[in-house]
Amino acid sequence: MKNVAVLLAGGSGKRMGTSLPKQFLKIADKPIIQHSIEAFEFHPNIDEICIVINADYHKEINVLVADNKYRKVKYVLSGGKERSDSSLAAIKAYEREQNVYLIFHDAVRPFVSKRIISDVINALEAGKSVAVAIPTTDTIFCLNQDETIESVPNRNLLRRAQTPQAFSYKTIKKAYDIAMSDSNFVATDDCGVVLKYLPNEAIHIVDGEESNIKITFEQDLLQGAQIADKK
């Protein structure tokens, strides 16, 4: 089975408050997306990389790939309005070679480690669908419609989701095929699609890391710079 990293880079940067999509902002003198590409480019068990990005930024990505001679990048695809549109673009790209694992990763999580990627691949090879997550240290409140506390879930059973999220091609394709036939489908992440439309498909957790942060707000850039300094 071929291991394909799908970098989801469709963000607009609105929450960052910049005109440039956040994946092109720099940490440690490199665009965020370059860190993410290199995490998979340099991993020995990743065979290909598929980048899904807003069509307006294909030129920038193609230049970045060419200048750095990244040999594993096979596709640069256009994403859609929702995250699920980007996932579907990757699924469609591989419909002729379905003997693959698709490893979906947020391009704005630039510090995913070699250990996390290896553990995800090992779980896939054991026949599992996979999500990466870390324990929550905070108490979580569930609210009702009046925004008052309805319940306090057991913290030991809660995890903070990260990426990658990874599946065999056949599993993720089947889940999205069912989702697309549902007129009430609400866009969510890939685990949410599999959980809803293939409820008998167990999704196993691989331990994430606190450093596997998602760059969403301006203050995350400072934290990212601190993480980069330690590498």
Side-chain angles (χ1 to χ4, degrees):
M1 293 279 278
K2 185 185 294 185
N3 295 315
V4 177
V6 179
L7 293 183
L8 302 173
S12 64
K14 289 181 180 178
R15 280 181 287 184
M16 186 71 74
T18 64
S19 57
L20 191 69
K22 57 190 174 183
Q23 54 267 29
F24 290 104
L25 300 179
K26 289 187 176 182
I27 293 177
D29 298 322
K30 290 182 183 180
I32 290 168
I33 195 169
Q34 185 173 354
H35 290 279
S36 298
I37 293 171
E38 291 180 354
F40 294 94
E41 175 75 20
F42 300 145
H43 194 286
N45 296 327
I46 293 294
D47 299 296
E48 290 179 7
I49 298 171
C50 170
I51 301 171
V52 190
I53 193 165
N54 186 296
D56 293 339
Y57 295 95
H58 278 215
K59 180 180 178 180
E60 286 82 353
I61 281 294
N62 286 325
V63 168
L64 181 67
V65 169
D67 286 351
N68 290 281
K69 297 179 172 61
Y70 296 134
R71 63 179 183 84
K72 293 184 181 180
V73 177
K74 181 174 182 179
Y75 294 115
V76 175
L77 307 174
S78 297
K81 181 180 178 182
E82 304 291 347
R83 177 196 175 96
S84 55
D85 296 325
S86 297
S87 296
L88 281 165
I91 292 167
K92 183 173 177 58
Y94 282 90
E95 63 186 356
R96 292 187 179 179
E97 47 173 326
Q98 300 182 13
N99 197 30
V100 298
Y101 295 121
L102 294 183
I103 302 168
F104 297 92
H105 184 65
D106 294 329
V108 289
R109 289 187 187 272
F111 304 116
V112 61
S113 68
K114 182 178 180 181
R115 194 276 303 164
I116 289 176
I117 298 170
S118 295
D119 285 356
V120 167
I121 291 171
N122 288 339
L124 284 169
E125 291 176 345
K128 300 174 180 178
S129 295
V130 190
V132 174
I134 56 177
T136 180
T137 55
D138 295 322
T139 297
I140 305 296
F141 294 149
C142 286
L143 307 184
N144 56 30
Q145 292 183 342
D146 297 324
E147 295 193 356
T148 59
I149 296 172
E150 186 169 274
S151 64
V152 182
N154 182 349
R155 190 167 58 190
N156 293 331
L157 299 177
L158 298 177
R159 297 293 184 272
R160 288 152 47 201
Q162 298 185 338
T163 63
Q165 297 179 0
F167 315 87
S168 70
Y169 182 89
K170 291 180 181 178
T171 295
I172 194 66
K173 175 70 160 58
K174 184 178 180 181
Y176 270 102
D177 281 349
I178 300 170
M180 291 300 97
S181 66
D182 179 3
S183 60
N184 295 315
F185 172 68
V186 177
T188 180
D189 67 352
D190 302 299
C191 280
V193 174
V194 172
L195 190 65
K196 180 172 182 179
Y197 295 103
L198 296 179
N200 293 324
E201 177 70 24
I203 303 173
H204 297 263
I205 295 297
V206 161
D207 289 336
E209 295 169 1
E210 290 289 347
S211 59
N212 186 23
I213 64 170
K214 184 177 183 180
I215 307 297
T216 303
F217 301 105
E218 188 173 357
Q219 58 266 33
D220 298 329
L221 292 170
L222 176 59
Q223 186 180 359
Q226 293 169 342
I227 294 170
D229 286 343
K230 294 177 181 179
K231 286 186 172 288

